[in-house]
Amino acid sequence: MKITKASVNITSPGRNFVTLKVETDAGLYGLGDGTLNGRELAVAGYLGDHLIPCLVGRDPFDTEDIWQYFYRGAYWRRGSVTMTAIGAIDMALWDIKGKALNTPLYNLLGGKSRNGILAYAHANGKDIDHALEDVARHKELGYKAIRVQSGFPGVSSTYGVPKGAGRYEPAERGLPSEQQWATEPYLRHVPRLFARVREQFGEELHLLHDCHHRLTPIEAARLGKELEPFHLFWMEDPTPAELQEGYRIIREHTTTPIAVGEVFNSVWDAHDLIRNQWIDYLRMTLAHGGGITPMKKAADFAALYHVRTGFHGATDLSPVCMAAALHFDTAIHNFGIQEHMPHSGETDAVFPHHYSFKDGFLFPGDAPGLGVDLDEKLAAQYPYQRAYLPVNRKLDGTLTDW
Ligand code: CS2
Ligand code: MG
């Protein structure tokens, strides 16, 4: 089989998505997610200008060689734009492989290691009472694991918490908005939030929390310690991870499990974190981590050190990535949990898919390959619109970490 054509589709059914379609002389095609929130056009350009011309003519079954060709062959390694572009190609080739062999992707990665994928939802509120209402709503929907975020006194807006009544969406159209951050009131607030959640919902529910890299290691250590009585499933992105060793400080002080990695794009971003057992869950997902080929190796490496996966699954990962993640989650042994922020109806219509949610679990479906499609006609009705993640400043104006 030969690759005859590859094209990049950019669509914005509520939010922007970049999708790569790889076509073959066998009449089969595969899809890959190349969405990098707020930097979509850079990935599209990288694919169109530099990768697609070298992809046409190759055998789509050669997933390992093609991955190495683009990773090693470029000379310039790693980086979110590069790795997302390579990831889109890799995902599309595995989709073709599954379709050609007439089997769902999970069968190519090890078969079924479990019956369903434990998923966590987002519950948000402008204050504790509203957050509790949202937890109750998600429990009602069947979720067994819920991430809880709430606004706190002293700041007017908080990332992860919608400003109005509508659903929470990480990016906003137009230029980046600015939000506020204040560490001290946050650190006092979060233990109170989780005390109330446990009091109202009991011990059974898995609870998660995302710190969005805003804390220093010692601040994160304090938070982890104070959250211990509430037995969190994880505390996410407590501190920026360029300095992997920062996580040693957190680890030495608390038994609250730690998840990190949604901004990583290579196993080298997590090498020290994993081999020193400073983290419990790796969040780097298939689109941003360079695709299925390198992520299988990263997951196997993590397994040696008791680290499990907890893939990023916000709405800025398209249904194509979600489908790939669910096959991967089904097959690997050291799966931990899958983030689930359901896409809008508009997005689901543009990307018809076979995966489904029931009683707190996700299922990849049994269609060959990824089991997701792109309705190009419908997609064309939603042209790209510039959108960014907000930036965050402390009350004195200093920019914070993400
Ligand atoms: C968040 C995301 O889901 C998460 O854990 O951190 O909302 C994240 O900020 C966005 O996906 C970034 O694109
Ligand atoms: Mg996060």
Side-chain angles (χ1 to χ4, degrees), residues 36 67-68 71-72 76-87 241-242 244 260-275 279 282-291 293-299 301-302 311:
L36 185 61
W67 193 88
Q68 299 295 347
Y71 182 77
R72 291 172 199 277
W76 312 107
R77 293 192 189 183
R78 304 166 57 186
S80 301
V81 173
T82 303
M83 297 304 278
T84 304
I86 300 177
E242 287 96 327
Q244 296 182 40
V260 69
E262 66 182 47
V263 303
F264 295 177
N265 55 73
S266 159
V267 69
W268 296 108
D269 292 332
H271 184 234
D272 292 337
L273 293 171
I274 293 170
R275 74 186 174 89
I279 60 168
L282 181 63
R283 286 185 46 71
M284 178 167 67
T285 191
L286 304 170
H288 303 145
T293 297
M295 278 305 303
K296 180 70 170 69
K297 296 171 193 178
F301 171 64
F311 283 170

Side-chain angles (χ1 to χ4, degrees), residues 147 210 212 236-237 262 283:
R147 178 188 107 160
D210 191 346
H212 291 293
E236 174 183 336
D237 291 347
E262 66 182 47
R283 286 185 46 71

Side-chain angles (χ1 to χ4, degrees), residues 150-161 163 172 176-186 211-212 214 390-402:
S150 95
F152 53 91
V155 299
S156 57
S157 55
T158 315
Y159 182 70
V161 177
K163 281 188 201 136
E172 290 168 29
S177 69
E178 299 209 352
Q179 297 189 345
Q180 287 185 329
W181 180 253
T183 301
E184 269 306 318
Y186 169 80
C211 307
H212 291 293
R214 301 275 159 73
V391 297
N392 297 274
R393 293 184 187 276
K394 294 181 188 170
L395 298 179
D396 70 357
T398 311
L399 269 172
T400 59
D401 279 301
W402 252 110

